[in-house]
Amino acid sequence: MSYCSIKKKRLWKQQQEIWINEITNKVSWDNFYQYNFCENDEYTISDFEQSPLSQIIWGEIMTNYLNQNNNVSLYKYYINRYYLIIENDDNSYRFLFDVMNNLKPRYFTELTENEDYHFIGNFTPIPANNNLKRSLQFVHKNLNEDWNKMIICIKERWHEFGMNFSFDDYIKMTLQEDYYHDGIFKSISEIDDIKMFIQKRGKIIQEKCKKLFK
């Protein structure tokens, strides 16, 4: 069961309000952290972390954060096939999406081939304002899809991304404080710890969604 219907409008921007209404009316947020985008065949044209459902959830959460923490004109968001735009009269931010922890056996040999990881607690926006020689999605792949290394890389390269807010703000608005808090990186490497992180972050996301999608 897909919460978002197949696109009927030509542009995602035109379809966005239809999808928002579907999410608002269909989704019960009580156990959404356990919703498996892959097993439920959530509508997407590429990867599940780029699905309309994922993009709209993150659009709501990050726009809400920016509006609460800035005394400027209100931010709005617009989704597209592969990226999310959040903007106001003064700033425009572009985000791609990535799976934080890839639990495929080629990365974590302890797991079986059926192990899945397509949960909202494992999806995250990544900065994409500037055109990089290699997008951060490919950088993540080159780092063996290890988010411990990836979050350090994002901090070290933050000045390259053209975002008019701090790395600390990025961490807070994308709910990654279990990996980085008060200037300190925390490694999450054990399989059980990764699964706990995905569930914990998923529960935080679903509680935010309960308030945002009233």
Side-chain angles (χ1 to χ4, degrees):
M1 178 198 72
S2 174
Y3 286 117
C4 292
S5 60
I6 295 173
K7 180 177 74 69
K8 294 182 175 63
K9 303 287 186 179
R10 188 174 70 87
L11 300 176
W12 282 46
K13 186 176 178 180
Q14 296 171 336
Q15 181 89 14
Q16 180 169 317
E17 286 304 316
I18 295 173
W19 284 326
I20 290 173
N21 287 332
E22 289 177 334
I23 294 168
T24 302
N25 293 316
K26 290 180 182 179
V27 179
S28 171
W29 299 105
D30 291 338
N31 292 297
F32 185 74
Y33 76 97
Q34 295 178 319
Y35 180 74
N36 188 313
F37 283 59
C38 179
E39 287 183 0
N40 288 283
D41 198 25
E42 185 60 39
Y43 171 69
T44 186
I45 62 165
S46 53
D47 298 320
F48 290 103
E49 63 271 23
Q50 297 166 345
S51 65
L53 178 57
S54 174
Q55 288 200 41
I56 288 170
I57 285 172
W58 282 112
E60 293 284 343
I61 289 173
M62 293 195 294
T63 301
N64 178 256
Y65 177 91
L66 288 169
N67 285 333
Q68 287 185 339
N69 289 276
N70 291 278
N71 295 317
V72 294
S73 59
L74 289 177
Y75 283 90
K76 296 181 180 180
Y77 71 92
Y78 306 98
I79 69 173
N80 206 317
R81 292 182 300 169
Y82 305 109
Y83 60 83
L84 167 74
I85 296 289
I86 299 178
E87 63 184 12
N88 66 4
D89 294 338
D90 303 306
N91 298 298
S92 179
Y93 305 125
R94 182 174 180 264
F95 296 90
L96 298 176
F97 291 84
D98 208 353
V99 171
M100 298 175 72
N101 299 285
N102 190 333
L103 303 184
K104 291 178 182 177
R106 62 193 174 117
Y107 301 108
F108 299 98
T109 56
E110 306 95 302
L111 299 178
T112 67
E113 291 188 5
N114 295 323
E115 189 68 34
D116 215 337
Y117 49 89
H118 293 103
F119 303 97
I120 193 64
N122 203 24
F123 299 163
T124 202
I126 52 177
N129 254 25
N130 292 339
N131 291 322
L132 307 174
K133 290 183 178 180
R134 290 182 65 80
S135 79
L136 290 179
Q137 292 162 323
F138 286 104
V139 171
H140 188 203
K141 185 175 182 179
N142 289 343
L143 293 173
N144 209 25
E145 306 209 10
D146 184 338
W147 201 257
N148 299 293
K149 296 177 181 177
M150 184 63 179
I151 198 64
I152 293 172
C153 173
I154 291 175
K155 185 177 188 300
E156 290 176 344
R157 297 181 57 184
W158 188 253
H159 64 282
E160 299 179 32
F161 305 142
M163 305 303 237
N164 192 26
F165 54 82
S166 69
F167 174 76
D168 282 15
D169 278 324
Y170 168 71
I171 290 293
K172 292 174 183 176
M173 75 172 71
T174 55
L175 308 175
Q176 297 189 54
E177 291 179 281
D178 279 355
Y179 275 96
Y180 179 84
H181 186 67
D182 287 342
I184 298 173
F185 289 101
K186 177 183 177 182
S187 178
I188 305 176
S189 300
E190 299 297 324
I191 296 300
D192 287 343
D193 292 338
I194 290 172
K195 291 180 179 178
M196 287 177 61
F197 163 78
I198 293 171
Q199 286 201 1
K200 177 184 175 183
R201 185 166 175 264
K203 289 178 180 179
I204 294 171
I205 292 168
Q206 77 175 21
E207 290 305 309
K208 288 185 175 293
C209 287
K210 283 182 182 180
K211 299 176 182 178
L212 294 170
F213 287 95
K214 288 184 177 178

